[in-house]
Amino acid sequence: MKKTKKTNAARILDEQGIPYRLQTYAVDEEHLDAVHVAHEVGMAPEQTFKTLCVRGDKSGVIFAVIPGNGELDLKALARTSGNKRCELVPLKELLPLTGYIRGGCSPLGAKKDFPVYLDESCTAYDEIAISAGMRGMQIIAAPDGIIQATKATLAALVFH
């Protein structure tokens, strides 16, 4: 039996007793987007959530976790998070801030426990996928488990 190396995100779920499974996939440096990852792990893009690192003018750094095929509505996130404005954190700041790289950013196990805002569409599914904290691995779990582990606030965060 091949042992998959556990990430910090997976260990957090273990510690909280939240059921999940790890799904590995081949990393394609040209296609780090969530729609490609969804295809690789055999899930619908709207069920495969991407984690975006955002800075609010009042809150500081927060995570927005949205469907892989969705586009973040920064104004909706600002309203929900108590900010006037929100903007994506520049890519060069992602690793120093979170400990994660593009294509491997998880709402779990970052350098700090940043507030997490999860798109409410997640509740339509029995399970969703989020990054396990490294390229090539996803955590697949029930939305309730992800919400519990991340202490996420649910909100409508994508353009419709």
Side-chain angles (χ1 to χ4, degrees), residues 69-91:
N69 61 348
E71 185 185 341
L72 179 60
D73 181 341
L74 287 166
K75 287 185 172 141
L77 178 61
R79 275 192 306 276
T80 300
S81 61
N83 289 288
K84 279 198 168 98
R85 260 184 342 278
C86 284
E87 61 185 23
L88 288 173
V89 167
L91 202 51

Side-chain angles (χ1 to χ4, degrees), residues 10-130:
R11 281 191 281 279
I12 288 167
L13 294 176
D14 287 343
E15 287 165 12
Q16 294 189 24
I18 295 170
Y20 68 95
R21 68 183 193 276
L22 292 173
Q23 177 74 47
T24 57
Y25 62 93
V27 177
D28 179 345
E29 294 287 336
E30 299 296 309
H31 299 97
L32 295 171
D33 60 280
V35 173
H36 179 78
V37 171
H39 176 75
E40 290 294 309
V41 298
M43 292 181 80
E46 55 273 11
Q47 226 175 326
T48 305
F49 283 65
K50 58 188 172 187
T51 303
L52 302 174
C53 189
V54 180
R55 184 174 283 118
D57 62 341
K58 293 188 166 92
S59 68
V61 175
I62 55 179
F63 284 137
V65 185
I66 64 170
N69 61 348
E71 185 185 341
L72 179 60
D73 181 341
L74 287 166
K75 287 185 172 141
L77 178 61
R79 275 192 306 276
T80 300
S81 61
N83 289 288
K84 279 198 168 98
R85 260 184 342 278
C86 284
E87 61 185 23
L88 288 173
V89 167
L91 202 51
K92 68 181 186 306
E93 292 179 34
L94 185 63
L95 180 61
L97 273 174
T98 66
Y100 290 132
I101 58 172
R102 178 174 174 256
C105 187
S106 178
L108 286 166
K111 281 183 172 181
K112 274 184 62 188
D113 278 340
F114 297 113
V116 174
Y117 294 87
L118 177 58
D119 189 75
E120 63 192 11
S121 67
C122 71
T123 60
Y125 304 101
D126 291 336
E127 54 184 24
I128 60 171
I130 62 168

